[in-house]
């Protein structure tokens, strides 16, 4: 009955409205005549029969009740405009059935505020009807590359109710000045606008060049600030906030020259040109050029200078060259090193600032590492000897240590760091790529038994993609398995190539002189009374093999790279072969005789003075010294010209033993003179590392032989020393070695 009554009421209302429209000759709205599919929220009931008129009628009513709209919070409780909270009247037909948004014909407050005569509405109807009553808020304005314009999220509200919150709209037409500023900073200054506009690439390239200049000289006051950069565009692009308007402005101007920056537009001042040249784009090491990159970013991994070294060139890079950085930075490094010296040394260089100025202006750059060069200069210029231990490179800031980036054949970084050891740890197969493989295929040969490959260059230049060049070193390498042939190979490590090449030359010579070498082996025989003495050298056969090895090594392990030099080496080697072998054999036998005599002396003294404890102490010390001086492999260990000196040192040991058993106290006194130097030698030997210079190694070896001569002068004065020697000379040599690296 109620439903039937409601239908009659709707027909009466519809008839009245239709009559009025006809009377004024007004046509129905288009969307009333055209059926559409209504959602559940704007359909009052399927039985009403008036769903086609629902939207039009309710929009008409809504225009007069905009202040009575509300959206649901929970259940039948709604949030109305002007911060009111209402409840749908329980007697309403929409009680418990209303949609998310409703309007009410009246708001009645009794026990609480009730909404009466309620209808569902679509919130999209509200904004067109409310017009300027709506409040618009624009949030998060930003440049959007995909749309090519500055946009913002627009929020629409009416009487405090949010009608829409996440509608993205163009920001420029609303706030043109702000939109232009965002466009300039986010699209133009960053280059995000893309490659459509050529002036962007020009300007960014100019900025990058100036920033690179700042990175080199480690300043941040050359390039103008972001505000000045933005002002450059702001003066020219007022009202431009998207790609379309920018393109139109450029087209109207006939080009973009007016938007291209010049260097004078971007710099506060320009550093001296001479100063800039002290920070080159590349450095030369061992005749090869390597590109450099600069970064002024204290605390970051990339701070300072980075040299890019292709993996194929890494093994051959002289690490000492990296100490010198570039001319613009080495002076700062020297100053930091000098200031980091212990106070005892700094005091002798006072005033330190003057000393640093003298060093940086007068010390020449030479081949070799920086610290040894610095120590030598200070010694010669100021008379101050600074030992290696006094220098502290670990305390240097990172930007004063060369950063090394090892790259593959495509330019990608394989590994990077400030430790030069990474040059030796490059994984195999990462360097050169196809270019190196092609070079190997062109130059390498296998199974060689004679010099049939022409002259060998010292170096082969391998050219890769992108103009990359590096050095490879040809060398003869003995066959590891058979040893009866050599292979011509290309190596990236120069020192390894040189060492292998000498053994390869020897192998080729041995193949060419095989008959002569067989005769040499028959000649180098130990027999008769010498055979038992050879037991000390692990037997006659082992000693003969050692003498043969030393003979061949002395004559044929040479660096020859031409057929002419190789033939000359064969000729001279064949001529000197027997004489050299017999000379080494005689020297070795003389050493064995001296070892036998000294050991016999010690044995006889021990038997004669069995009850004397000091004799056993003395002979034990001398036996230890003898074993250290003359190990079983002494023939191959020492240079041939050193063997005769071993005889003198062994004779001195026998003399010491005979004197010591008679006057042990005097021997202890003499040993006290030797002891500090023996301890110093041991300390020097323990300090040697793979990074120790050849200069220091040779100096330590010289000190070793000087100490043996000093022992003769102390324990056996009746044997002449090989030149002058004294404690003073030994101390002087120690100080000299301490200053080496």
């Amino acid at each position: 009955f109620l439903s039937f009554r409601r239908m009659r009421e709707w027909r009466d209302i519809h008839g009245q409205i239709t009559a009025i429209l006809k009377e004024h000759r007004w046509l129905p709205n288009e969307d009333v005549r055209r059926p559409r599919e209504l959602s559940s929220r704007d359909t009052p009931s399927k039985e009403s029969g008036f769903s086609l008129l629902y939207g039009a009628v309710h929009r008409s009513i809504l225009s007069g009740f905009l202040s009575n709209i509300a959206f649901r919070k929970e259940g039948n409780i709604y949030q109305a405009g002007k911060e009111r909270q209402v409840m749908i009247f329980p007697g309403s037909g929409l009680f418990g059935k209303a949609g998310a948004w409703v309007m009410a014909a009246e708001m009645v407050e009794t026990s609480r505020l009730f909404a009466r005569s309620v209808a569902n509405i679509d919130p999209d109807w509200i904004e067109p009807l409310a017009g300027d009553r709506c409040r618009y808020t624009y949030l998060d304005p930003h440049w959007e590359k995909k749309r090519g314009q500055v946009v913002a999220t627009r929020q629409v509200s009416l009487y405090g109710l949010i009608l829409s919150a996440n509608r993205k709209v163009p920001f420029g037409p609303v706030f043109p000045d702000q939109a232009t500023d965002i466009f300039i900073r986010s699209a133009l200054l960053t280059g995000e606008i893309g490659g459509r506009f050529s002036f962007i690439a020009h300007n960014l390239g100019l900025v990058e060049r100036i920033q690179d200049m700042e990175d080199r000289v480690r300043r941040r006051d050359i390039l103008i600030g972001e505000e000045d950069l933005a002002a450059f565009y702001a003066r020219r692009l007022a009202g431009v906030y998207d790609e379309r308007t920018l393109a139109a402005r450029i087209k109207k101007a006939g080009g973009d020259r007016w938007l291209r920056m010049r260097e004078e537009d971007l710099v506060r001042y320009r550093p001296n040109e001479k100063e800039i040249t002290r920070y080159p784009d590349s450095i030369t090491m061992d005749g090869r050029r390597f590109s450099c990159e600069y970064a002024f970013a204290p605390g970051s991994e990339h701070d300072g200078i980075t040299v890019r070294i292709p993996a194929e060139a890494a093994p051959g890079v002289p690490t000492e060259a990296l100490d010198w950085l570039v001319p613009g930075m080495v002076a700062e490094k020297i100053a930091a090193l000098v200031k980091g010296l212990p106070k005892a040394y700094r005091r002798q260089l006072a005033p330190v600032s003057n000393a640093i100025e003298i060093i940086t202006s007068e010390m020449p750059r030479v081949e070799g590492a920086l610290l040894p060069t610095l120590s030598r200069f200070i010694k010669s210029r100021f008379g101050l000897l600074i030992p290696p231990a006094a220098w502290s490179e670990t305390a240097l800031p990172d930007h004063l240590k060369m950063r090394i980036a090892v790259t593959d054949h495509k330019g990608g970084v394989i590994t990077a760091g400030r430790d030069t050891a990474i040059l030796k740890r490059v994984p195999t197969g990462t360097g050169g790529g196809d270019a190196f493989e092609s070079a190997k295929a062109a130059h390498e040969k296998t199974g060689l038994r004679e010099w049939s490959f022409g002259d060998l260059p010292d170096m082969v230049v391998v050219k890769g993609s992108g103009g990359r060049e590096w050095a490879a070193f040809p060398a003869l390498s003995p066959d590891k398995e058979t040893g009866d042939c050599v292979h011509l190979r290309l190596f990236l490590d120069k020192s390894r190539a040189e060492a292998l090449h000498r053994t390869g030359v020897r192998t080729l010579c041995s193949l060419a002189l095989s008959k002569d070498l067989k005769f040499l082996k028959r000649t180098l025989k130990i027999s008769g009374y010498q055979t038992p003495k050879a037991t000390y050298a692990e037997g006659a056969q082992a000693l003969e093999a050692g003498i043969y090895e030393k003979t061949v090594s002395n004559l044929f392990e040479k660096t020859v790279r031409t057929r002419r030099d190789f033939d000359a080496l064969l000729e001279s080697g064949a001529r000197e072969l027997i004489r050299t072998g017999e000379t080494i054999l005689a020297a070795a036998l003389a050493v064995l005789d001296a070892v036998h005599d000294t050991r016999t002396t010690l044995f006889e003294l021990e038997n004669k003075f069995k009850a004397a404890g000091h004799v056993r102490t003395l002979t034990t010390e001398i036996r230890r010294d003898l074993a250290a001086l003359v190990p079983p492999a002494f023939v191959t260990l020492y240079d041939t010209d050193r063997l005769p000196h071993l005889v003198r040192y062994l004779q001195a040991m026998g003399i010491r033993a005979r004197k010591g058993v008679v006057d042990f106290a005097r021997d202890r006194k003499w040993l006290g003179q030797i002891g500090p130097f023996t301890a110093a030698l041991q300390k020097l030997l323990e300090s040697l590392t793979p990074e120790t210079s050849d200069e220091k190694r040779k100096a330590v070896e010289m000190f070793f032989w000087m100490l043996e001569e000093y022992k003769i002068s102390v324990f056996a004065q009746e044997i002449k020393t090989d030149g002058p020697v004294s404690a003073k000379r030994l101390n002087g040599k120690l100080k000299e070695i301490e200053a080496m690296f």
Side-chain angles (χ1 to χ4, degrees), residues 100-151:
W101 284 82
V102 298
M103 67 173 175
E106 57 181 346
M107 298 284 190
V108 178
E109 186 169 6
T110 54
S111 58
R112 63 175 307 158
L113 187 62
F114 289 103
R116 296 170 63 91
S117 300
V118 177
N120 289 319
I121 59 172
D122 186 335
D124 293 340
W125 298 342
I126 302 173
E127 184 181 351
L129 294 172
D132 56 8
R133 292 188 180 90
C134 290
R135 181 179 178 181
Y136 296 91
T137 305
Y138 295 86
L139 306 173
D140 186 30
H142 62 278
W143 159 255
E144 193 166 285
K145 182 178 180 180
K146 187 175 181 180
R147 296 177 61 159
Q149 62 181 180
V150 178
V151 298

Side-chain angles (χ1 to χ4, degrees), residues 128-412:
L129 294 172
D132 56 8
R133 292 188 180 90
C134 290
R135 181 179 178 181
Y136 296 91
T137 305
Y138 295 86
L139 306 173
D140 186 30
H142 62 278
W143 159 255
E144 193 166 285
K145 182 178 180 180
K146 187 175 181 180
R147 296 177 61 159
Q149 62 181 180
V150 178
V151 298
T153 300
R154 187 172 71 178
Q155 178 180 286
V156 184
S157 62
L158 177 65
Y159 303 132
L161 300 181
I162 305 300
L163 304 181
S164 65
N166 297 307
R167 190 180 301 171
K168 193 172 288 187
V169 297
F171 188 63
V174 185
F175 297 101
D177 293 342
Q178 294 180 35
T180 298
D181 185 64
I182 294 171
F183 179 71
I184 290 171
R185 295 176 187 274
S186 300
L188 303 185
L189 295 187
T190 64
E192 271 210 13
I193 199 170
R196 179 181 175 186
F197 302 98
S198 59
F199 75 91
I200 294 293
H202 168 83
N203 294 348
L204 289 179
L206 194 56
V207 169
E208 287 176 3
R209 288 199 295 273
I210 297 171
Q211 287 175 336
D212 180 63
M213 188 190 306
E214 290 184 325
D215 286 335
R216 293 172 193 245
V217 299
R218 298 189 67 79
R219 302 175 196 160
R220 279 289 180 260
D221 59 350
I222 300 175
L223 179 68
I224 61 175
E226 183 179 320
E227 294 299 325
D228 296 320
L229 288 169
F232 172 89
Y233 287 118
R235 289 191 296 269
R236 294 162 172 79
L237 295 175
V240 175
Y241 37 74
D242 56 28
E243 285 190 23
R244 182 182 57 80
T245 52
L246 175 60
R249 189 76 63 88
I250 292 174
K251 182 178 181 180
K252 183 178 180 181
D256 63 2
R257 181 174 295 276
W258 53 288
L259 291 174
R260 292 176 177 261
M261 298 176 176
R262 299 168 301 170
E263 185 173 305
E264 51 266 35
D265 295 324
L266 297 176
V267 298
R268 294 189 176 96
Y269 68 92
R270 181 172 180 81
N272 185 281
E273 195 64 36
K274 185 177 180 181
E275 181 182 6
I276 296 298
T277 61
R278 291 165 57 81
Y279 301 87
D281 294 329
S282 62
I283 59 176
T284 302
M285 295 184 289
D286 197 30
R288 287 166 289 173
R289 298 189 70 81
F290 301 97
S291 63
C292 297
E293 298 172 351
Y294 299 84
F296 181 28
S300 78
E301 177 188 353
H302 300 83
D303 189 34
I305 176 173
T306 297
V307 58
R308 296 177 63 87
I309 300 177
E312 58 273 5
V317 171
T319 57
E320 60 271 12
L322 299 171
D323 290 350
W324 295 86
L325 302 174
V326 292
M329 301 178 75
V330 70
E332 183 184 355
K333 182 173 182 177
I334 290 172
L337 287 168
V338 173
K339 291 177 181 178
L341 285 170
K343 188 175 181 180
Y345 296 103
R346 290 202 316 273
R347 187 164 49 234
Q348 298 181 67
L349 291 172
V352 173
S353 57
N354 290 349
I356 291 172
E357 184 176 353
I358 292 171
I359 295 169
T360 55
S361 61
E362 297 182 11
M363 187 182 78
R365 174 166 182 165
V366 298
E367 295 293 332
L370 172 63
L371 289 181
T373 305
L374 189 54
S375 288
R376 285 193 295 267
F377 180 82
I378 292 175
K379 177 68 168 63
S380 63
R381 183 67 170 78
F382 300 97
L384 175 62
L385 180 63
I386 301 177
W391 298 108
S392 176
E393 288 189 284
T394 56
L396 290 174
D398 279 349
H399 76 276
L400 295 179
K401 303 173 189 174
M402 180 72 83
R403 182 174 180 270
I404 304 162
V406 181
T407 61
D408 59 23
H409 64 282
K410 294 182 179 179

